[in-house]
Amino acid sequence: MRSFTLKCLSRGRLFSLALITTLGIVAPAVQADTKLAMGTGAKTGYYFSVGNLLCKSFVKAMSGNKCRARTTDGALENLAKLRRGKYDIVVVRSDWALNARDGSGFFENKKPDAALRSLFSTHSVPLTVIARTGSGITSLKDLNGKRVRLGGSASRLARKLPYAESWDISGFRTISFGEMDDQRKALCKGEIDPVASVVGYPSSLIQKTAQTCAIQLVELSGRDIDRLVSGSDALSEVTIPANTYKGVTSPTKTFGYKAILLSSANVPDDDVYAFVKSTFENLPQLTAGHPALKGLQPADMIRDGLPAPLHPGAARYYRERGWIN
């Protein structure tokens, strides 16, 4: 987890932020010909929806400037085009950003991206383990010996816990991979025990599963996970709110990644400053505009899941607000 000096946001500051937005006071425009290109994801996915919402907020706040959220094939395309200067801002998951920063994982054949810069994080993309109600699976220790079905990202994240006393991937009776819809059907038929996926919430597929059979979410917490999260620049603790899914009436602790906005050191400070300012000064409308953004708080957005250094334009705005030193 990346650390830097963060000042507490008082209720007064948050009230002022809401008041500014309510009164319709927007940030002063930067150069009238500023054009931002943002790489997001598939048109039907969260990343495009969130990116498009942020672009519209920027255009509305910064009269005369432009921002276009572009559909893409995902993180590999986004980060490659950001490095080449084709995009000014991209939306990616925090683990992809970490790999690009270090030249690891899918980027092991490329040099580390020293120009990568963080703006802020948005919604959580946690490791979510669902089990049938009555299965007796309520925590990590209950998974050993079970027929666990893992999606690709869940498998990679699970393998980061080889030292965990309560999580031993070699102890799973079967480990198979497949599409989420296949997992849903197998779970409800009793062909597998829990299903583990790395997915934002609310997930339409988990909602569909909860409509098909009674489910419960498995809590993932404890000292092993605390140690994993504290030692990673990409991971954060996550609490999935109660009633996110049918029949799950209590909040569920877990951990996972963040969807984050990145830019490059080569993008002008003033452009990034204006984009970040428009985001935070219209945050109440933005959080109401998409279910994945519900409950976002500035303190979390500028702290969690940011592997790369803050862009100077973003840092300038955060210092003006008194959020960082």
Side-chain angles (χ1 to χ4, degrees), residues 57-110:
S57 174
F58 172 75
V59 170
K60 183 177 180 180
M62 302 292 170
S63 178
N65 293 289
K66 296 181 180 180
C67 178
R68 182 179 177 185
R70 300 178 183 273
T71 57
T72 72
D73 289 332
L76 279 174
E77 177 184 343
N78 291 349
L79 290 162
K81 289 187 175 180
L82 178 66
R83 183 182 286 219
R84 298 201 305 268
K86 300 295 184 181
Y87 291 147
D88 304 294
I89 298 171
V90 296
V91 187
V92 299
R93 209 170 62 192
S94 53
D95 57 325
W96 286 89
L98 180 64
N99 289 339
R101 184 198 75 180
D102 295 343
S104 60
F106 289 102
F107 300 91
E108 62 183 357
N109 295 322
K110 297 184 179 296

Side-chain angles (χ1 to χ4, degrees), residues 4-21:
F4 53 87
T5 304
L6 174 68
K7 292 185 177 180
C8 293
L9 301 180
S10 67
R11 290 185 179 179
R13 288 189 184 278
L14 290 175
F15 175 77
S16 297
L17 176 61
L19 183 61
I20 287 171
T21 305

